[in-house]
Amino acid sequence: MNFVKKTPSCQLFFVKIKQNRLISHTESEADRMEYKFADIEKRWQDYWEDNHTFKTEDDFSKPKFYVLDMFPYPSGSGLHVGHPEGYTATDIVARYKRMNGFNVLHPMGWDAFGLPAEQYAIETGTHPSLTTQNNCDNFRRQIKALGLGYDWDREINTTDPGYFKWTQWIFIRLYNTWFDEELQKGRPIAELDIPAEIKAAGEAAVTEYIVEKRLAYYDDAQVWWCPHCRIVCSNEEVLNDGMHEKCGNPVERKNLKQWMLRIPLYAERLLAGLEKVDWPEGVKDMQRNWIGRSTGAEVDFKVEGANETLRVFTTRPDTLFGATYMVVAPEHPLLDTFATAGQKSTVDAYVAQAGLKSELDRSDLSREKSGVFTGTYAINPVNNAKVPIWVADYVLMGYGTGAIMAVPCHDTRDFEFASAFGLSIPCILDPDTDDKVLREQVIQGLACWIGDGRYINSASEETGLDINGLSKEEGIATCIKWLHQNKLGTEAINYKIRDWLFSRQRYWGEPFPIIHWEDGEITLLEESQLPLQLPELEKYEPGSHGESPLANATEWLHVRDENGRKGKRETNTMPQWAGSCWYYLRYIDPKNDKEPFSKAKENYWLPVDLYVGGAEHAVLHLLYSRFWHKVLFDLGIVSTDEPYTKLFNQGMILAFAYETEAGAKVSSDLVVERDGSFFHTGTGEKLTQIVAKMSKSLKNVVNPDDVVRVFGADSLRLYEMFLGPLDAVKPWVENGVKGVYNFLNRVHRFFADTSHYHEGEEDQELRKSLHATIKKVGGDVEALHFNTAISQMMIFTNLAIKKGKITRTSAEAFIRVLGPFAPHLAEEIWSILGNSGSIAEAPWPPFDESMLQEDSHEYPVMINGKLRFKILLPLNMAEEEIKEQVLSHETAQKWTEGADPKRFIHVPKKIINIVV
RNA sequence: GCGGAUGUGGCGGAAUUGGUAGACGCGCUAGACUUAGGAUCUAGUUCUUUCGAGAGUGGGGGUUCGAGUCCCUUCAUCCGCACCA
């Protein structure tokens, strides 16, 4: 553990290890009563393994509960304490649900394709599968050491050919599916109607038509390329500052043939589905934001002296009267025709310069807007005004039509641009604001107003359109209608979401079941030919120009069909998202080699009832996974429209770190504590304690193995849950583990010692507390409020110890409540109490509401809103009598000075308030 | 700039529909048992205090008999998105 020197727990660490070593050969009475967590945990983990306690049967007669963790990438460095946070939470829920009669599916597996194993192969020549296997073994060992009740018979691994066979199988289905926009549904490509004029144009045209409809297609794409990793990155893997998310080096643009998936076609479905699921609002918003739906209109502008029209997308067709110029993106296909002879060199220079700029520069908001006039004018359809066409890089080719109408007075970007280039800024909307100065400025064209108001200067006799006096909403509707009637434009919806770049130039990923033939034809492998496995390689290095290492696997690469036609296999592999898109489906039938999963099992187990994982997957994994699921749903392969009913994000666990006054971070092994202050061991400089992400460089990573060694798995589990609300970001405070460790010690000392049991009636107060505990813990588990559940169990234990005696019945009930949280200790005590079998299979104890009923209540009495005294009153006492009793109380007399109160408020079972 | 959260003792955090603020735990203080305590047990622990009480949930205002909770306003921190027309 990388604790700061001289903290108590470091010393405790040492003592505990010594103690555990000594235990085995001194079996005195005192030792027998010790909480020997290492022995206990080993014993029960072996028991669970030997007895397959957590094996899930497909017993369709029981109600099901599918609780899923986001499966990890098995990295070389093993688990950190962040992993068990979510895993413990789902384990508690799984055990709780099982005790309540549910057939629970709670599986674990490995998202094992990915760069680190491949990077390691490049450096050492070790095959990635070997590295992967070792890492999985280590992860599995660590997870088992935490007592997590997974059904290991269902373990899956995305790199297993028995798994990725079906990933390839799904890809084939994506390829062979088109999206029927009318029905808003994916359909088999065989059901695609080919229009007569396409058929008439010949086979090539038909093929092209089909290719354009497939959900998966192969095309030239301008992609992000990371020269450091020599890999293509998706938009999502590029950070805002233009750096590669994985390695932190700058990415660049490159043109490559790539596989793409048409996820934007599912935008409406993906949006609609969010309404039905129980997910954190923030995640839903992030997905909505990512999809980026906006409604408006597409408007065609005639171009002076040309046949082409310039089409723009706008969300504000109502502001057409204020459009004083047009802007096209530097990549716009019509730009060449717009550039007049006089402006050509200027335009070319600008486009060249824009092309050189990195995306980072282009998207820097603080940057001054740039652009040049093309020399050509367009005609504003609402008033036939001549408006100049400019080119500027603040307009992006990738959104809308790559061209805009600029309304400087009512759009901040256009306002900035017009201000910079001295273009006119006519106001067409009288702002709805109380700020007189601002309103005047807007009307003068000196300020920009994007809110609501009433139109002015928005009429033309020539075209017959008049929206003066209307509000924004009315204006938009009127203009769209007018555009439609005059065939100048139409209502339109635009999305930010783009086609998903679905290939990587890497070795360690799923190979595409694709052959590119010498004549240009692309074919897919037959299902019987799956899985297409990866070839063995000597070298795993990617080419420096974007080709995958698979391009060197000559024997694997080259194929010939029965007619002697030559072909090459696809050398790209699928991205890491592929395997994680559907793994929740494989768990339900992981060993099926006939189909990805049996329909009957899918029908029973899906959807996932509870899905727990980090917020970092809020958009990508969850959106991609929903997309695939919807395609599978449309094809009748799965029976639900959404895969995950309830989603929960656990908060990140942070750790203390240290920084100098200048803000420089100091590695924890260079920090010493003296009298509550922190100092640099080298320079002696005083340091500030901060909370930061755990990282190798700060040396503040807490390894669960170390915590388990010192305090045991039950303590680790309990502490992870006791730390705070599951969804909160919270710092790991090493001393805190001691609190729950003490609690487990107390539980062990009291409940494992049968001399504390008695045969008679249970103590009233203790029985009431027990039933309150059963109720509270059950409710808290359902609500994922584990921290308060644990504190309730502490309250009960403290009371039981105070009472000194307990009945066996009460103890057995309590131990079953504790079971999901601290399963090893619970099993141990359960067996000491003479029960055979696992406590995991015992029923959750019933609680009796009548035990919680009170016949009297200790009322806090407030006088003028301040608590003055408390009084015990029967609940069935008449209002008048209560008033009399309370007012005659000596403290009440003192504060009221005998006078009649103005008001007397009695809230039954709550409070009494006297107003004087 | 937009969207989402969060703000409570020395610390992590509790507080159904507005109803005893600080549960539970850490830490700390005192005591007991002990060769010892870093084990265990007991008591205490929001702050101020003239020991009557007063103040108190980021700040300011409001509604209410009563506000951590509702409303308005403001500040701070975190996360996500960001020239998306």
Side-chain angles (χ1 to χ4, degrees):
Chain A
M1 254 183 273
N2 296 297
F3 290 149
V4 175
K5 283 176 187 169
K6 285 187 184 170
T7 57
S9 62
C10 263
Q11 294 157 356
L12 186 67
F13 180 110
F14 175 68
V15 169
K16 276 292 153 195
I17 287 188
K18 220 166 75 178
Q19 190 190 17
N20 275 310
R21 282 205 195 111
L22 288 172
I23 278 164
S24 55
H25 51 87
T26 53
E27 272 291 335
S28 69
E29 183 65 16
D31 275 340
R32 208 171 59 71
M33 294 318 296
E34 267 316 297
Y35 170 40
K36 289 179 281 186
F37 57 81
D39 294 359
I40 294 172
E41 290 173 2
K42 170 87 171 62
R43 177 156 56 249
W44 290 102
Q45 281 167 18
D46 289 350
Y47 177 92
W48 296 329
E49 179 118 21
D50 295 345
N51 291 279
H52 299 275
T53 305
F54 300 105
K55 185 168 173 57
T56 304
E57 300 296 343
D58 295 305
D59 176 358
F60 298 170
S61 68
K62 282 201 209 163
K64 67 95 182 180
F65 195 83
Y66 187 176
V67 49
L68 181 66
D69 295 291
M70 290 184 185
F71 67 163
Y73 171 75
S75 72
S77 44
L79 293 183
H80 57 82
V81 291
H83 286 107
E85 189 191 12
Y87 301 166
T88 305
T90 55
D91 193 53
I92 291 167
V93 172
R95 288 169 181 267
Y96 170 79
K97 285 286 182 182
R98 191 174 284 121
M99 292 174 84
N100 279 283
F102 285 85
N103 189 18
V104 173
L105 179 54
H106 186 215
M108 181 47 77
W110 319 110
D111 188 15
F113 276 126
L115 265 182
E118 183 163 343
Q119 201 58 44
Y120 190 69
I122 292 169
E123 286 159 18
T124 66
T126 316
H127 194 279
S129 69
L130 206 66
T131 313
T132 300
Q133 201 187 325
N134 288 339
N135 292 350
C136 289
D137 289 346
N138 187 39
F139 263 64
R140 194 184 309 102
R141 175 192 64 74
Q142 287 189 295
I143 288 175
K144 283 188 176 175
L146 301 176
L148 298 165
Y150 291 114
D151 177 359
W152 289 104
D153 293 340
R154 290 174 186 261
E155 176 180 346
I156 59 170
N157 184 324
T158 54
T159 67
D160 178 353
Y163 181 90
F164 70 67
K165 169 181 178 174
W166 302 108
T167 312
Q168 292 169 338
W169 183 93
I170 293 171
F171 176 79
I172 291 173
R173 263 135 202 90
L174 290 165
Y175 183 81
N176 286 323
T177 300
W178 65 288
F179 189 75
D180 185 331
E181 301 206 30
E182 208 133 298
L183 298 177
Q184 279 290 303
K185 185 175 187 276
R187 297 173 62 186
I189 205 81
E191 294 177 12
L192 178 63
D193 283 332
I194 314 288
E197 68 267 26
I198 303 281
K199 275 187 190 152
E203 206 176 308
V206 171
T207 307
E208 199 191 319
Y209 183 79
I210 295 173
V211 163
E212 278 172 16
K213 292 286 182 182
R214 294 182 188 278
L215 289 184
Y217 68 101
Y218 186 65
D219 201 3
D220 256 333
Q222 204 186 38
V223 296
W224 291 115
W225 169 255
C226 174
H228 177 263
C229 299
R230 289 191 264 179
I231 188 175
V232 169
C233 318
S234 62
N235 288 335
E236 298 85 284
E237 290 164 327
V238 179
L239 300 175
N240 284 338
D241 55 1
M243 300 297 169
H244 185 202
E245 175 193 67
K246 295 260 158 59
C247 70
N249 290 293
V251 293
E252 35 188 73
R253 283 291 193 187
K254 208 178 175 92
N255 260 315
L256 286 173
K257 281 274 191 192
Q258 295 292 315
W259 282 97
M260 313 281 284
L261 300 182
R262 295 189 216 270
I263 186 171
L265 293 172
Y266 272 80
E268 288 298 329
R269 290 271 301 282
L270 289 166
L271 283 171
L274 291 175
E275 305 299 325
K276 304 183 285 198
V277 291
D278 178 9
W279 285 22
E281 215 35 60
V283 175
K284 288 191 188 184
D285 273 337
M286 280 163 73
Q287 294 215 348
R288 288 190 193 109
N289 202 295
W290 190 264
I291 294 167
R293 181 186 203 268
S294 63
T295 56
E298 282 188 354
V299 185
D300 288 327
F301 282 65
K302 283 200 182 108
V303 177
E304 200 178 54
N307 292 327
E308 290 93 351
T309 54
L310 179 58
R311 177 168 290 185
V312 301
F313 173 73
T314 176
T315 54
R316 297 290 305 275
D318 56 313
T319 59
L320 267 159
F321 284 101
T324 50
Y325 63 100
M326 316 285 289
V327 186
V328 299
E331 300 85 2
H332 197 280
L334 293 178
L335 180 56
D336 266 347
T337 66
F338 296 156
T340 55
Q343 288 296 97
K344 187 152 177 49
S345 58
T346 317
V347 169
D348 285 350
Y350 181 75
V351 171
Q353 185 208 336
L356 282 176
K357 278 181 199 161
S358 69
E359 195 78 2
L360 169 62
D361 293 337
R362 278 182 66 167
S363 66
D364 183 0
L365 273 149
S366 58
R367 191 171 62 85
E368 288 267 316
K369 294 233 177 335
S370 67
V372 295
F373 178 43
T374 61
T376 300
Y377 292 85
I379 307 297
N380 189 336
V382 295
N383 56 10
N384 294 334
K386 258 175 73 170
V387 292
I389 301 174
W390 286 63
V391 54
D393 63 8
Y394 81 93
V395 172
L396 310 172
M397 194 57 224
Y399 185 79
T401 62
I404 62 157
M405 63 177 211
V407 185
C409 199
H410 306 290
D411 180 287
T412 48
R413 297 151 302 183
D414 299 341
F415 181 83
E416 272 177 46
F417 189 83
S419 304
F421 292 96
L423 297 159
S424 74
I425 304 174
C427 174
I428 56 135
L429 189 78
D430 185 356
D432 184 7
T433 173
D434 294 334
D435 187 338
K436 289 202 178 92
V437 179
L438 176 65
R439 179 170 168 245
E440 199 47 44
Q441 283 182 332
V442 173
I443 289 172
Q444 305 270 326
L446 301 170
C448 177
W449 177 258
I450 56 170
D452 206 347
R454 296 280 158 181
Y455 296 99
I456 52 174
N457 309 320
S458 290
S460 162
E461 280 180 26
E462 222 174 308
T463 65
L465 179 62
D466 181 353
I467 58 168
N468 278 337
L470 297 186
S471 71
K472 188 165 149 183
E473 204 183 316
E474 298 161 340
I476 291 173
T478 309
C479 286
I480 288 178
K481 203 170 145 201
W482 182 86
L483 286 166
H484 201 75
Q485 281 165 353
N486 292 278
K487 296 196 166 39
L488 292 164
T490 174
E491 191 163 13
I493 300 169
N494 243 291
Y495 303 95
K496 278 199 279 183
I497 193 168
R498 314 289 165 80
D499 285 349
W500 171 15
L501 178 71
F502 192 68
S503 45
R504 300 289 183 276
Q505 289 58 54
R506 305 305 296 197
Y507 174 78
W508 197 227
E510 298 88 347
F512 283 88
I514 293 281
I515 297 168
H516 300 275
W517 297 101
E518 56 188 344
D519 57 11
E521 195 192 2
I522 290 177
T523 61
L524 273 68
L525 299 189
E526 295 294 323
E527 208 170 307
S528 61
Q529 295 170 289
L530 301 182
L532 172 62
Q533 303 221 30
L534 288 164
E536 295 284 330
L537 285 188
E538 299 273 305
K539 273 180 64 192
Y540 299 92
E541 306 236 354
S544 51
H545 301 291
E547 65 275 14
S548 151
L550 288 176
N552 302 323
T554 38
E555 230 171 274
W556 177 89
L557 183 66
H558 297 285
V559 291
R560 226 174 242 272
D561 68 5
E562 58 270 30
N563 302 323
R565 180 172 64 152
K566 286 191 219 160
K568 280 185 180 179
R569 293 191 191 278
E570 172 64 61
T571 57
N572 288 308
T573 52
M574 298 186 201
Q576 207 182 349
W577 308 111
S580 60
C581 264
W582 74 283
Y583 73 111
Y584 59 97
L585 289 164
R586 187 62 178 172
Y587 282 132
I588 67 182
D589 199 4
K591 300 204 169 84
N592 195 333
D593 57 2
K594 302 282 182 293
E595 47 188 351
F597 44 83
S598 106
K599 187 75 187 144
K601 290 179 185 179
E602 182 276 330
N603 213 31
Y604 173 68
W605 284 115
L606 241 55
V608 174
D609 296 285
L610 175 64
Y611 191 23
V612 175
E616 66 273 20
H617 294 115
V619 177
L620 305 182
H621 158 62
L622 286 166
L623 196 64
Y624 293 155
S625 180
R626 293 178 61 223
F627 165 49
W628 279 34
H629 190 90
K630 283 181 187 300
V631 176
L632 296 177
F633 174 65
D634 289 350
L635 298 178
I637 296 166
V638 297
S639 56
T640 63
D641 181 42
E642 284 288 333
Y644 314 113
T645 303
K646 182 181 169 102
L647 172 74
F648 198 90
N649 295 127
Q650 85 270 20
M652 204 188 315
I653 295 185
L654 308 177
F656 288 127
Y658 303 87
E659 65 179 17
T660 63
E661 202 160 321
K665 304 283 189 293
V666 180
S667 169
S668 290
D669 54 347
L670 299 175
V671 180
V672 64
E673 186 191 350
R674 275 196 304 271
D675 306 323
S677 300
F678 302 93
F679 301 91
H680 195 295
T681 49
T683 64
E685 198 177 349
K686 190 162 183 216
L687 304 170
T688 317
Q689 191 179 51
I690 56 161
V691 169
K693 274 190 199 177
M694 292 188 189
S695 72
K696 280 182 193 160
S697 62
L698 290 175
K699 288 207 165 62
N700 62 353
V701 178
V702 181
N703 182 338
D705 283 347
D706 296 330
V707 182
V708 168
R709 195 157 49 238
V710 182
F711 297 103
D714 282 338
S715 290
L716 174 69
R717 293 169 58 109
L718 227 47
Y719 183 58
E720 297 252 1
M721 295 298 100
F722 190 62
L723 208 49
L726 187 61
D727 55 355
V729 174
K730 42 208 175 277
W732 184 271
V733 186
E734 57 229 56
N735 275 343
V737 188
K738 240 177 82 179
V740 293
Y741 176 72
N742 287 344
F743 164 65
L744 291 178
N745 264 292
R746 285 158 67 79
V747 167
H748 181 263
R749 231 177 1 256
F750 186 74
F751 291 97
D753 180 351
T754 45
S755 70
H756 293 119
Y757 294 94
H758 71 97
E759 297 290 322
E761 273 283 290
E762 187 55 278
D763 174 87
Q764 278 270 337
E765 197 187 351
L766 192 56
R767 179 163 49 196
K768 197 174 143 189
S769 177
L770 173 69
H771 284 268
T773 302
I774 297 169
K775 184 182 180 180
K776 169 97 177 127
V777 174
D780 279 351
V781 171
E782 301 266 4
L784 309 178
H785 295 164
F786 305 107
N787 54 334
T788 48
I790 293 167
S791 82
Q792 180 62 38
M793 290 190 281
M794 288 172 168
I795 291 168
F796 176 78
T797 303
N798 290 346
L799 183 66
I801 290 171
K802 200 169 138 197
K803 297 283 178 187
K805 292 280 178 194
I806 191 166
T807 63
R808 185 172 293 261
T809 317
S810 299
E812 285 190 349
F814 172 69
I815 292 306
R816 278 179 285 162
V817 169
L818 178 68
F821 295 81
H824 308 89
L825 179 58
E827 291 277 19
E828 182 74 6
I829 296 171
W830 187 246
S831 90
I832 289 173
L833 286 168
N835 297 287
S836 58
S838 169
I839 197 172
E841 286 151 0
W844 184 258
F847 80 89
D848 186 347
E849 190 72 51
S850 69
M851 295 289 179
L852 305 178
Q853 297 303 318
E854 306 249 10
D855 47 15
S856 61
H857 181 71
E858 190 182 37
Y859 282 94
V861 179
M862 305 177 95
I863 294 164
N864 288 337
K866 280 196 200 313
L867 180 70
R868 292 305 175 188
F869 64 95
K870 292 180 185 176
I871 185 168
L872 190 70
L873 296 170
L875 286 173
N876 59 3
M877 189 180 253
E879 183 73 18
E880 272 311 303
E881 203 179 335
I882 288 175
K883 191 168 176 181
E884 200 187 304
Q885 287 261 329
V886 170
L887 290 178
S888 61
H889 191 276
E890 96 185 279
T891 316
Q893 287 289 314
K894 183 182 145 195
W895 288 95
T896 57
E897 294 171 337
D900 264 354
K902 257 200 220 152
R903 279 186 77 174
F904 183 87
I905 294 139
H906 164 229
V907 185
K909 281 189 85 173
K910 296 277 187 200
I911 206 166
I912 288 165
N913 196 3
I914 303 166
V915 187
V916 216

